[in-house]
Amino acid sequence: HARQVTTTASSLAAASARRKSSSAPGSAPARRAFSVRGASSSSPSPSRMVPVPPSRESTLIELNTGYNMPLVGLGTWQAARGVVGQAVADALELGYVHIDCAAAYANECEVGHALTAAVAKGTVTREQLFITSKLWNDRRRPEDVRAALQQSLADLQLEYLDLYLIHWPVVWRRGTLMQTDGGASLAACWRALEAAVDAGLVRSIGVSNFDEGQMAELMAAARVQPAVNQVEIHPRLPQRALVSWCQKRGVAVTAYSPLARGGGLFDDEVVGDIAAKHGVTPAQAVLRWGVERGIVVIPKSVTASRIAANRDLFSFALDEEDMKGMSRLDDGTTTSTSPWSDSGPTAGRNKVLKPLISTLLWPVFKIISVDVQRMGRTGFIKWSWSRE
Ligand code: NAP
């Protein structure tokens, strides 16, 4: 498998090297080409190339900021409060170091408790951890960006984030859903994120749910280039063009919903045959398909046995025939239900849905204000007339 990852990575590295950015963020190491660590021909130690859990030396991908990102992380969306802390604790015990969070998941406080407890117990050190969070859609003004970041840091009980992503390429008025903020922009928001890198609050910054056009616009104006684009990817939605566009430009890709939330993949005959051939579960075969493409996968689970299996992806490899078989599953199916998405497979539907919902919601946000940053604690709906 290392050879396959190397092939992908070295072509990416060459493309990335051709397009070097003129600046490197704050205290980060010098900018390097995009590569998969431990899989390059110049460091051919098989034991490092094929680490098997519970080793913490899980295969890493090197970001364009010079920091390493583990290819497998634990997703935390819809991991309920009261459950998510145990899932994170289990994952860390099982060798995970990469946790994917977001303010909008309303559970960062509990994740933070679990992280602190694991570090105190000596399960893991802060330096080993790779923690991602995401900036919600109504926090686009520079002062709101900094406050939201500070809140996520406080909730996660961290001094810095390893990666902070713009959750969606949309600009909403504070406290609303889908109400455009004419006084804010993604460009100004990005500058605030660059300032957060300079201040040492974040190591790498990136985006989520951006298409090629949105990426190009952001990258043309950026001083610190996005390190990651996190988008929905699984065999039913391989996103080949977007993945290739990003990887050629040194932007690492993270697959969210990498199991398509179950979505028919586990019962699929092709997946079943590939899994049986390698003596692994269908979920492992599907996740390995992502890793083979040099993509970071962040499966969510709150079930210890599944958490363990989902990280055990480095003791087998898919061959060309398996990859071809998986490509037959591509039917454009998306798990995304977000009506505000302008890109991806639901864009057509949302063209109609978005203005409709947005208009219907307009009077609602005259009365109430939603505070996503507070969802993980208490009272996230406020009466508008009591707003300062
Ligand atoms: P997913 O990881 O594709 O699927 C999660 C579902 O699969 C859960 O129901 C889980 O059940 C089940 N599952 C996990 N491992 C399994 C296994 N080995 N065998 C059978 N079932 C298994 O979907 P997701 O949660 O949508 O995506 C993963 C993460 O991506 C999220 O948690 C979040 O961190 C991130 N995400 C980001 C965005 C974005 O806009 N940036 C959007 C969506 C998701 P149990 O938990 O009950 O085990």
Side-chain angles (χ1 to χ4, degrees):
H1 87 283
R3 201 169 48 248
Q4 282 164 351
V5 175
T6 305
T7 309
T8 317
S10 50
S11 55
L12 298 176
S16 171
R18 281 197 296 276
R19 203 195 133 84
K20 277 203 163 179
S21 151
S22 55
S23 65
S27 58
R31 187 185 170 87
R32 282 175 237 157
F34 181 88
S35 64
V36 175
R37 198 176 147 193
S40 97
S41 53
S42 58
S43 55
S45 158
S47 58
R48 278 192 59 77
M49 282 192 261
V50 192
V52 176
S55 161
R56 292 202 179 279
E57 307 219 337
S58 137
T59 307
L60 306 162
I61 201 161
E62 189 173 335
L63 301 179
N64 60 15
T65 49
Y67 290 107
N68 292 317
M69 180 175 190
L71 275 163
V72 184
L74 179 76
T76 60
W77 182 41
Q78 293 180 332
R81 294 198 295 275
V83 173
V84 70
Q86 189 57 52
V88 170
D90 289 345
L92 297 175
E93 288 288 344
L94 288 161
Y96 280 73
V97 287
H98 171 189
I99 313 290
D100 183 77
C101 314
Y105 301 165
N107 57 14
E108 286 193 330
C109 275
E110 193 170 323
V111 172
H113 284 299
L115 295 177
T116 300
V119 171
K121 201 173 151 192
T123 309
V124 69
T125 65
R126 172 62 187 99
E127 265 309 304
Q128 287 174 316
L129 288 171
F130 188 99
I131 308 299
T132 302
S133 184
K134 308 185 194 85
L135 177 70
W136 188 237
N137 303 344
D138 69 338
R139 302 311 210 263
R140 295 290 178 258
R141 297 189 175 219
E143 64 278 15
D144 285 344
V145 172
R146 183 56 76 95
L149 170 58
Q150 299 279 18
Q151 189 61 64
S152 278
L153 286 170
D155 288 351
L156 291 165
Q157 304 185 25
L158 298 174
E159 301 280 315
Y160 68 90
L161 290 175
D162 294 277
L163 180 64
Y164 199 36
L165 307 178
I166 295 182
H167 208 142
W168 287 88
V170 294
V171 181
W172 295 349
R173 252 187 322 113
R174 173 86 184 264
T176 71
L177 193 68
M178 297 170 60
Q179 309 292 298
T180 303
D181 183 350
S185 69
L186 288 175
C189 171
W190 190 256
R191 285 194 292 277
L193 291 176
E194 291 174 330
V197 173
D198 296 339
L201 298 174
V202 182
R203 287 191 160 176
S204 304
I205 49 179
V207 297
S208 180
N209 298 297
F210 276 48
D211 65 17
E212 293 92 325
Q214 290 156 337
M215 292 291 296
E217 199 178 326
L218 182 82
M219 290 171 81
R223 175 170 62 84
V224 178
Q225 291 296 307
V228 168
N229 186 13
Q230 184 182 121
V231 291
E232 179 180 348
I233 297 174
H234 43 73
R236 301 189 71 177
L237 187 69
Q239 304 250 37
R240 285 194 193 87
L242 179 60
V243 170
S244 153
W245 193 99
C246 290
Q247 291 184 335
K248 274 189 189 140
R249 289 161 179 80
V251 178
V253 178
T254 298
Y256 76 65
S257 307
L259 298 169
R261 299 190 203 159
L265 286 178
F266 303 147
D267 304 329
D268 185 273
E269 206 179 317
V270 174
V271 175
D273 288 348
I274 294 171
K277 174 173 152 187
H278 296 283
V280 297
T281 65
Q284 286 173 307
V286 167
L287 294 171
R288 179 70 214 190
W289 168 87
V291 169
E292 297 288 354
R293 302 174 68 206
I295 295 173
V296 177
V297 292
I298 47 169
K300 172 262 175 186
S301 179
V302 293
T303 314
S305 57
R306 290 173 173 177
I307 294 172
N310 291 348
R311 185 176 175 270
D312 184 7
L313 306 178
F314 302 101
S315 51
F316 69 103
L318 302 194
D319 58 30
E320 220 170 291
E321 192 192 336
D322 302 329
M323 295 300 280
K324 264 194 199 145
M326 285 283 200
S327 68
R328 288 203 292 274
L329 272 72
D330 176 4
D331 62 1
T333 294
T334 176
T335 63
S336 175
T337 48
S338 310
W340 53 80
S341 177
D342 287 327
S343 59
T346 52
R349 176 200 77 183
N350 292 347
K351 258 196 193 119
V352 182
L353 211 55
K354 199 164 69 155
L356 191 72
I357 296 179
S358 174
T359 309
L360 288 175
L361 284 180
W362 185 78
V364 174
F365 290 111
K366 286 276 159 211
I367 303 167
I368 62 154
S369 155
V370 173
D371 192 341
V372 164
Q373 290 289 147
R374 288 162 58 100
M375 279 195 326
R377 293 177 297 281
T378 50
F380 70 96
I381 289 183
K382 285 194 280 181
W383 298 111
S384 239
W385 55 76
S386 68
R387 260 190 286 178
E388 289 155 44

